[in-house]
Amino acid sequence: MTLLHQIVWGSTFLGLCFLVEILLLTWCTVVIMKMETNLEKRGVFLGTAMPIAVALVFIVAIHTIQVWIWAIVWVLLDVLPDWNTAIYFSLVTFTTLGYGDIVLGEALRIFGSFASVAGLLAFGLSTAYMVAMMTRVFQDRIFS
């Protein structure tokens, strides 16, 4: 893959990961908003814990989907030999752990780096979402 191809395809899959993150965080917000009216009747503990739990379930699902997107790429492009290796490589790259026991050839290094960028941005966005959501929950439930 040429450098231009790596950048174009890496950006494409990075954009797909962003789309997944944005859509599912939006859906998460809608779910939490719909739950709020029922939670007000259930007390402070459930009213505080449930939105946090729902958000965490969504975030774990979002990150898992993104890891799978990259694993699918590695298998479909015949870069890695099997699903186990592809998921493992995708996960350690997405989390930027990068053990280094599996590395891509020179022709895919830049493209593979986009998986790390996707992970960095996904964790950052998820953290910002949790902070904003928890701030709102705590203000509404505890400090009012």
Side-chain angles (χ1 to χ4, degrees):
M1 211 185 272
T2 67
L3 177 60
L4 181 59
H5 284 115
Q6 290 184 75
I7 292 169
V8 168
W9 284 109
S11 298
T12 300
F13 287 105
L14 180 64
L16 178 61
C17 287
F18 283 157
L19 185 62
V20 166
E21 183 114 14
I22 291 165
L23 291 175
L24 291 178
L25 284 179
T26 301
W27 184 21
C28 178
T29 303
V30 170
V31 168
I32 291 170
M33 287 170 52
K34 286 183 179 181
M35 287 175 40
E36 277 187 331
T37 54
N38 293 332
L39 291 175
E40 288 175 5
K41 302 170 190 168
R42 304 225 175 186
V44 174
F45 182 80
L46 279 179
T48 304
M50 286 303 293
I52 295 168
V54 168
L56 285 173
V57 167
F58 268 87
I59 287 169
V60 168
I62 290 165
H63 291 201
T64 302
I65 290 167
Q66 291 180 65
V67 166
W68 271 94
I69 287 170
W70 286 102
I72 290 167
V73 168
W74 306 133
V75 170
L76 291 181
L77 290 179
D78 221 11
V79 173
L80 297 172
D82 56 53
W83 284 104
N84 188 44
T85 305
I87 292 167
Y88 168 76
F89 178 76
S90 182
L91 188 58
V92 298
T93 302
F94 189 80
T95 60
T96 69
L97 183 59
Y99 284 129
D101 53 344
I102 299 171
V103 293
L104 301 178
E106 264 186 55
L108 292 170
R109 285 185 185 162
I110 302 298
F111 179 64
S113 298
F114 277 91
S116 297
V117 173
L120 280 169
L121 295 172
F123 283 108
L125 184 57
S126 297
T127 301
Y129 180 85
M130 284 299 295
V131 168
M133 193 271 306
M134 289 175 70
T135 300
R136 183 171 179 265
V137 167
F138 290 159
Q139 285 176 344
D140 290 351
R141 304 266 183 248
I142 297 172
F143 302 116
S144 55

